[in-house]
Amino acid sequence: MLVKIFGGAVNGIEALTVTIEVNILSGAKFIIVGLPDNTIRESQQRIDSALRVIHSRIPGKRIIINMAPADVKKEGSSYDLPLAVGIMASNEELPFEGLEDYVIMGELSLDGTLLPVKGVLPIAINASQEGFKRFILPKENANEAAVVENLKVFGFSHLSEVVDFLRKRIDVKPTVFKSDENYPLSHFSKLDFKDVKGQENVKRAMEIAAAGSHNLLMVGSPGSGKTMMAQRLSGILPPMTIEESLETTKIHSVAGKLLKNTALVIERPFRSPHHTISDIALIGGGTFPRPGEISLACNGVLFLDELPEFKRSVLEVMRQPLEDRRITISRSKFSVDYPANFMLVASMNPCPCGYYNHPTKECTCPPGSVLKYMSRISGPLLDRIDMHIEVVPVEMEKITGLVESEKSEDIRKRVISARNIQTERFKRLSGIHCNAQMESSHLKEFCQLNKECLNMLKIAMQKFGLSARAYDRIIKLSRTIADLAGEKEITIKHIAEAIHYRTLDKENWGH
């Protein structure tokens, strides 16, 4: 009997419906067609063992399984459960009426236990859009899929439970998404800026960066607090919108990074890869491309500590996603797009010994080594970083002082207020939520400059040799500074502060 079961395949962070056709004929052969990978081909052994646990078995006949569309590569063990259900239904061990309403996904262990799978959220969203009413999957994935409206999600722990449910021997209630129960965690970071003594200028730069989602590079000697402050940046970022949360959850779901029983990612990601990371691990890739660190940091922060220690090739591959906020991974027969809308925060020493421009310690580097050290970061990459800030070691009086620093919560309130202004400003534009995402074409409309501001920018361009890209980024930064001040117009003081954050563009740096 020919039976159709429906599953899903993930391409990037989007999904498409996979129709699994099972037909049992006379003969003795097990055939799977439709571009399955080796994991799917090996599913026969897992399915046979799981079926024997529930007192069934793969019939000793010719079984033909087609996975459509045939031109899309299918991968992974998540097709074990739909294949098992299809075989049982085709062998008339399960009723096939009503199976067309279900999407079924899940990996089987040898004893029939259902194991969690990747990419459930994109598959659930696609299933709802395609008109499916029900989704059967492992229990550990149920909360993730239950986020999607108009789709009844049934989570099971064992193949026997799925069989009894389809035979209507047991009544199972669909999983209900409840935000209060699924989100017990605080939206605030445990790391607080109140623990950072001094460094008011760097905190100000981080507040501006958070308000407009601008890229930031901190240059300072060892022990000046660069990493400490970067780790606290998440605590002042605004909460994610539902669209950002869904996008981030999709990426983590596809990558298999969601925590157990997690429905949605609600806190902005903070990714901090080691400087030995490879190109593929950073941008994504592999035989079947998976998201890299720049995609896992989407809608959050990618922190690169000791930036010059990263391989040159690794840093250069970030240039395109920093500009386009997406990464395209191409293979001979297909390509995959992943979002890469991250905020880059990096830190570095000013020279090999770490004490160039230090107020009390002398730099021991030979002549020319500072410029050589800085040359590890290419000009085009440096140009894409909006803010360069020098981090000077804190004076002992401030470290031992009793004066409390401002709390992250107070800084966050100002950041949220500035973001609300930007949300209102860009509400009619698709895909733009903050100042850093503006295109050059938007600057004339949203960042009009008076003659005084233009003259100052012209002088800075000539004196520091700024590029056209740096010109645009200074204007965007000025817009954010004005938003934090609650001012509608960009004034010369906003432009001056934005220019101040281009430290590495200054002609005397490193000489």
Side-chain angles (χ1 to χ4, degrees), residues 361-418:
K361 295 185 179 181
E362 185 178 352
C363 176
T364 59
C365 298
S369 60
V370 177
L371 289 177
K372 184 177 180 181
Y373 186 72
M374 290 300 305
S375 67
R376 295 185 187 183
I377 307 170
S378 70
L381 177 61
L382 202 58
D383 218 21
R384 287 169 167 81
I385 300 178
D386 307 60
M387 308 175 70
H388 315 148
I389 182 73
E390 284 189 78
V391 184
V392 181
V394 184
E395 298 173 357
M396 184 57 65
E397 290 76 9
K398 291 185 178 180
I399 294 176
T400 57
L402 300 177
V403 179
E404 285 194 5
S405 299
E406 191 175 22
K407 295 180 181 179
S408 292
E409 185 177 353
D410 296 330
I411 301 174
R412 190 173 191 250
K413 289 177 181 177
R414 296 196 297 269
V415 170
I416 292 174
S417 178

Side-chain angles (χ1 to χ4, degrees), residues 7 16 35 92 113 121 133 161 202 222 298 342 352 384 389 415 446 448 456:
L16 56 89
L35 288 184
E92 300 183 357
T113 302
L121 182 58
K133 304 298 182 183
E161 298 174 4
V202 186
C298 187
F342 62 94
R384 287 169 167 81
I389 182 73
V415 170
F446 301 116
Q448 294 181 0
M456 175 171 276

